[in-house]
Amino acid sequence: MKGVFIFLILSVSFIFSGALVSADEIEDLYYISSASVNYDARYFPGFFYDEGGAEGHSGAYVQINVGVVHYGELSKVNIKAKHIDSDFEVTLREAHQECAGGYPSGWNVDQYWGIRLKPEDWMAGTWEITLKYRDVYGDKDYETVEVYVDRFSYPPQPTGLQFAAPGGRKRIIWNSIGVPGVPGYDGEYIEYRIMHHVEYPDGIFCIDQAINIRDASAMIPLNRIRQTIPEEWESGDLIRVENRVYKGDGSRYDRGVRYFYLP
């Protein structure tokens, strides 16, 4: 339908973003802790995952994500997202089970489900997301939430990435797309994020730490962003850098993403 091409998720990259469900709606649910639809432009280093190289995974997507809590209580989980205006429906895929329960503290999620779609203009609008499951007693039940997308903002991927360690202080530097936290066009504002991955056997990567950059003090001359990273992050670790553009009221954000290995 609509000529859409679905990209199966090959990595644990389901970080809730895009059009966000309101806090009130989430508080009324027990298992769904986040739900989102967003534009996601990303670049993977060559031959990442040993499954065809960067050309198999890099690109621009509309990504649908659902975060779930109380993961251990659920079985036979099925999550579908339906675009109301077009009746297009897609089934989300679970992230690697090795990552369940291991996401950064404060995220209020035990596990993610998600899917990537080739971007089309009709994907704005209302999406109905339904979680069906069996509980600890074996009973069938479901939860439903709606996500509204007014438009996508198409932020670029990070460019000009550099790593420096003056005086032993490890820093990541890249080109900014604007001053973090300062309202811009149409009330939108910009944030940045750096995330660290831990590697499990069979080339599985899970996000275990995240640093949000929301203050103008991160800006340095020549329109660059600079962020100190933890000392325990080592050479060869997989790092993810994000440019994020938020709607003024915080109800959605989109992102450009780039992965690289620490030198």
Side-chain angles (χ1 to χ4, degrees):
M1 179 175 292
K2 301 284 187 178
V4 68
F5 182 81
I6 299 173
F7 292 82
L8 300 183
I9 293 179
L10 299 174
S11 67
V12 178
S13 303
F14 316 144
I15 308 306
F16 67 89
S17 53
L20 304 174
V21 178
S22 71
D24 290 341
E25 289 178 281
I26 291 296
E27 287 175 2
D28 291 337
L29 302 175
Y30 183 70
Y31 289 110
I32 296 177
S33 62
S34 65
S36 61
V37 179
N38 75 292
Y39 174 78
D40 185 273
R42 61 181 58 207
Y43 171 80
F44 290 104
F47 299 99
F48 192 55
Y49 302 123
D50 294 324
E51 295 185 17
E55 68 278 5
H57 314 298
S58 300
Y61 309 94
V62 165
Q63 185 161 284
I64 306 173
N65 295 320
V66 174
V68 167
V69 292
H70 312 298
Y71 177 74
E73 300 178 8
L74 299 173
S75 61
K76 297 187 181 301
V77 173
N78 181 274
I79 303 179
K80 292 184 181 295
K82 180 180 180 179
H83 187 259
I84 298 301
D85 292 338
S86 66
D87 281 336
F88 171 79
E89 187 175 71
V90 64
T91 299
L92 277 60
R93 296 173 62 89
E94 184 179 358
H96 295 299
Q97 292 187 354
E98 288 86 346
C99 300
Y103 296 95
S105 60
W107 280 18
N108 189 34
V109 64
D110 292 335
Q111 182 62 311
Y112 282 101
W113 274 255
I115 200 74
R116 299 181 200 159
L117 309 174
K118 180 180 178 181
E120 301 282 355
D121 290 340
W122 62 265
M123 292 179 182
T126 300
W127 290 82
E128 181 183 76
I129 296 175
T130 301
L131 161 68
K132 294 183 179 181
Y133 61 89
R134 288 185 183 269
D135 61 20
V136 290
Y137 305 104
D139 296 331
K140 295 180 180 180
D141 208 342
Y142 71 94
E143 292 183 354
T144 299
V145 67
E146 289 189 351
V147 180
Y148 174 71
V149 187
D150 60 343
R151 67 182 182 87
F152 300 108
S153 54
Y154 308 110
Q157 299 168 3
T159 59
L161 277 166
Q162 294 180 330
F163 174 78
R169 299 187 64 184
K170 300 177 181 179
R171 293 172 174 169
I172 297 175
I173 303 168
W174 70 100
N175 296 329
S176 79
I177 61 170
V179 180
V182 176
Y185 172 75
D186 197 24
E188 291 184 340
Y189 62 96
I190 291 166
E191 289 186 6
Y192 303 93
R193 177 179 283 183
I194 301 173
M195 288 183 285
H196 178 271
H197 292 66
V198 59
E199 184 175 3
Y200 290 90
D202 299 323
I204 294 172
F205 294 87
C206 303
I207 296 166
D208 64 340
Q209 296 183 62
I211 300 172
N212 295 320
I213 304 168
R214 298 169 174 164
D215 192 279
S217 63
M219 293 284 294
I220 60 174
L222 302 178
N223 293 321
R224 306 272 278 164
I225 293 292
R226 179 178 63 195
Q227 177 62 45
T228 301
I229 61 174
E231 289 297 320
E232 63 267 24
W233 294 11
E234 299 179 348
S235 175
D237 288 355
L238 181 66
I239 305 300
R240 170 175 168 161
V241 178
E242 296 188 356
N243 295 331
R244 296 180 167 222
V245 176
Y246 287 73
K247 187 177 178 181
D249 62 3
S251 65
R252 69 155 163 81
Y253 64 86
D254 301 306
R255 64 191 175 192
V257 179
R258 199 170 187 94
Y259 292 81
F260 75 103
Y261 293 101
L262 277 181

